[in-house]
Amino acid sequence: MSSLAFGLLALSIALACSSDHSSKSGGADDNGDAASGGSSQHGSGGSKATGAGKGSGGNQETSGGRDGGDTSAGNDGGSTDGATGDGGSANGSGGATSTGSGGAKSSGGATASGGATSSGPTTAAELAAKIGRDHFIIGMGNDLNNDHDMDGAYTLGVTMDVHYAYLVGLLGMGGWPDWNSGGTFVNVLTDSAKKHGTVPMMTLYSMAAKGEANYAVLTDDSYMKPYWDGALLLFKRLAVFGDPALVQFEPDWWAYAQQKSGGDATKLAVHVASLAPDCSTLPDNVAGMGKCLVTLARKYAPKTVVGFHVSSWADSDPAKIIAFMKSIGAADGDFVTTDMLDRDAGCYEAHTDPNCQRGDTTGWYWDETNKTSPNFHDNQSWVKTITTGLGKPMFWWQVPFGVPSTTPGGTASHYRDNRVHYIFSHIDEFIAAGGVGALFGTGAGNQTYITTDGDQFKNAVTTYFGSPTALK
């Protein structure tokens, strides 16, 4: 198994994936050990994470994804400066250079006062061009293959646009920075993506290391110091990569913060200025936190494009969501993300899997005729409001792989869903809503996957990349 497989297996075990909280009210706290990352082995280069994330409160299911075995075998040329092995980073043989085409421009770089300035409205075509694409982007992540290798996106017979992976946990606490020496797990991911002609994307998911919506950590320096050090390390490793990449900031966290703060980001204290020197003039609140992440990206990895996750459950009024997201720096980024549903609709309908317990069994499978709610046009209308309000294009992220069926529910690995089917049949609708792309992946274990969907996804991407839909 490759070093990429080891690291992503660690991600999978630690998975406390972002969820669609459409059934959530009031932002109930989850108090488990979500995405704590587990322990790390460096003797032979492999990484091991043993702590599956679990949430014990509210309606959020954060149980760890897939069980995995010991990952004690060595890396093949771990990704460190000057490495020459198979996974070597920028300075090793086969490493990334800084001359990739379509590099992202940092039009909204850091200001003299330490904050990030807005780059202004960004169209989907402009965002795609920053990562060397000119069409509606299709990507994939969380890609278990053959029960061990985490490279499913590279087995479809086509070149995917984007490959995403979670970065969970904290520096010095068994999180992603510890999986490979010096945080070079990032370069294992970037170099593998580049080898396959794909743009790497990191989902930074460290705010859940001691449980989602755990607000006590925000003013705890023993937590926030490794958080900021890890964020800085991420962008420094992406600078070593030197080619375009994407970073998605903390799915779900901003919605929790909006609810906790009553929609006023200045009312939720976060230790920022004293712990992140590059952000020393930013306020010690969640607004400063969001803007600091953008500032670090612009200063250290200017070819990396970044975006915030927008959750529809944060508030029933999209105008309030837009206002809050602007206050934390979402308009300073390059894109935004959202999720339609993080697991197959049929898993919630069956209501037997512990990963899919939301209190009801209806309303998860959307009406493709768009005559009854919930449906796809409802979602596109909401997204259009968000993309217009923020001036940033949208990625639909972590879209499930399920196959359409007239029979509700299903069984493990064979639950029904129709989002793959609808998206590839109506891409123009998603572009019209301000969309730049769709990124597919499982949000928990036991879901339909590319190896259990009767080749639905493989056939869809093969057809799509034969004549991709241009962004104008």
Side-chain angles (χ1 to χ4, degrees):
M1 196 190 304
S2 68
S3 59
L4 176 61
F6 295 137
L8 283 174
L9 182 56
L11 284 176
S12 180
I13 301 168
L15 192 60
C17 292
S18 170
S19 297
D20 175 278
H21 290 241
S22 56
S23 63
K24 194 176 196 67
S25 62
D29 293 358
D30 296 316
N31 299 314
D33 295 323
S36 57
S39 61
S40 176
Q41 293 181 330
H42 297 297
S44 56
S47 299
K48 179 182 178 183
T50 58
K54 297 180 180 179
S56 59
N59 295 324
Q60 162 85 1
E61 288 78 39
T62 57
S63 298
R66 306 174 184 89
D67 293 330
D70 192 338
T71 60
S72 58
N75 289 346
D76 297 328
S79 184
T80 56
D81 291 349
T84 58
D86 294 342
S89 72
N91 295 329
S93 61
T97 68
S98 59
T99 58
S101 61
K105 297 179 181 178
S106 178
S107 57
T111 67
S113 61
T117 59
S118 175
S119 58
T122 304
T123 69
E126 289 168 343
L127 186 282
K130 288 182 177 183
I131 61 171
R133 299 301 193 269
D134 62 2
H135 55 264
F136 187 78
I137 291 167
I138 299 296
M140 182 176 159
N142 286 6
D143 40 350
L144 182 69
N145 177 50
N146 296 329
D147 297 325
H148 60 279
D149 290 324
M150 308 303 252
D151 61 357
Y154 308 135
T155 68
L156 295 165
V158 296
T159 300
M160 301 294 283
D161 291 316
V162 169
H163 177 268
Y164 77 84
Y166 277 81
L167 300 181
V168 301
L170 294 175
L171 177 66
M173 301 182 189
W176 72 265
D178 306 320
W179 295 345
N180 294 80
S181 178
T184 52
F185 177 66
V186 168
N187 299 106
V188 174
L189 295 171
T190 60
D191 298 349
S192 179
K194 180 172 181 176
K195 176 181 177 181
H196 291 94
T198 301
V199 180
M201 176 176 178
M202 313 295 159
T203 293
L204 182 62
Y205 194 66
S206 293
M207 283 308 297
K210 290 190 176 180
E212 280 196 312
N214 183 354
Y215 308 109
V217 304
L218 297 175
T219 54
D220 179 354
D221 286 1
S222 69
Y223 189 98
M224 293 308 299
K225 181 63 163 61
Y227 178 86
W228 288 119
D229 289 348
L232 176 60
L233 179 61
L234 165 60
F235 292 114
K236 286 185 174 181
R237 296 315 310 172
L238 289 173
V240 171
F241 173 55
D243 278 1
L246 302 96
V247 173
Q248 174 194 25
F249 295 141
E250 302 291 353
D252 284 351
W253 165 246
W254 312 110
Y256 283 123
Q258 180 173 349
Q259 292 183 342
K260 179 66 174 179
S261 67
D264 184 349
T266 67
K267 300 299 184 183
L268 186 56
V270 183
H271 285 183
V272 179
S274 63
L275 303 178
D278 295 292
C279 305
S280 61
T281 63
L282 288 173
D284 282 322
N285 54 43
V286 75
M289 177 185 179
K291 292 181 178 182
C292 184
L293 289 170
V294 178
T295 295
L296 294 175
R298 300 303 192 217
K299 180 173 181 178
Y300 292 98
K303 287 187 179 180
T304 296
V305 296
V306 298
F308 291 76
H309 188 80
V310 184
S311 303
S312 61
W313 53 269
D315 195 285
S316 60
D317 184 353
K320 291 182 179 179
I321 296 176
I322 291 167
F324 183 82
M325 296 305 296
K326 282 185 175 179
S327 75
I328 63 171
D332 304 338
D334 303 292
F335 62 88
V336 287
T337 64
T338 195
D339 45 357
M340 294 179 176
L341 189 64
D342 65 326
R343 291 154 209 194
D344 295 319
C347 190
Y348 291 113
E349 293 173 327
H351 209 64
T352 56
D353 194 301
N355 291 316
C356 302
Q357 302 297 313
R358 291 278 180 87
D360 58 70
T361 60
T362 60
W364 305 107
Y365 194 85
W366 291 357
D367 177 17
E368 289 197 48
T369 70
N370 295 301
K371 295 178 179 178
T372 61
S373 291
N375 61 55
F376 290 90
H377 285 179
D378 291 343
N379 175 260
Q380 291 164 356
S381 177
W382 180 85
V383 167
K384 181 64 174 178
T385 300
I386 299 297
T387 57
T388 300
L390 292 175
K392 302 297 172 182
M394 180 71 75
F395 279 109
W396 285 267
W397 167 78
Q398 202 159 267
V399 182
F401 292 106
V403 179
S405 172
T406 57
T407 303
T411 59
S413 300
H414 297 279
Y415 293 115
R416 76 164 184 164
D417 201 281
N418 59 355
R419 288 163 176 82
V420 169
H421 180 262
Y422 192 90
I423 288 173
F424 282 101
S425 301
H426 301 83
I427 284 177
D428 286 343
E429 291 182 5
F430 292 90
I431 293 174
V436 64
L439 311 174
F440 298 81
T442 58
N446 301 329
Q447 305 304 297
T448 306
Y449 186 59
I450 61 172
T451 56
T452 64
D453 69 346
D455 283 339
Q456 171 190 243
F457 188 73
K458 180 178 181 178
N459 292 336
V461 296
T462 298
T463 298
Y464 176 75
F465 282 112
S467 182
T469 304
L471 293 168
K472 300 178 181 179

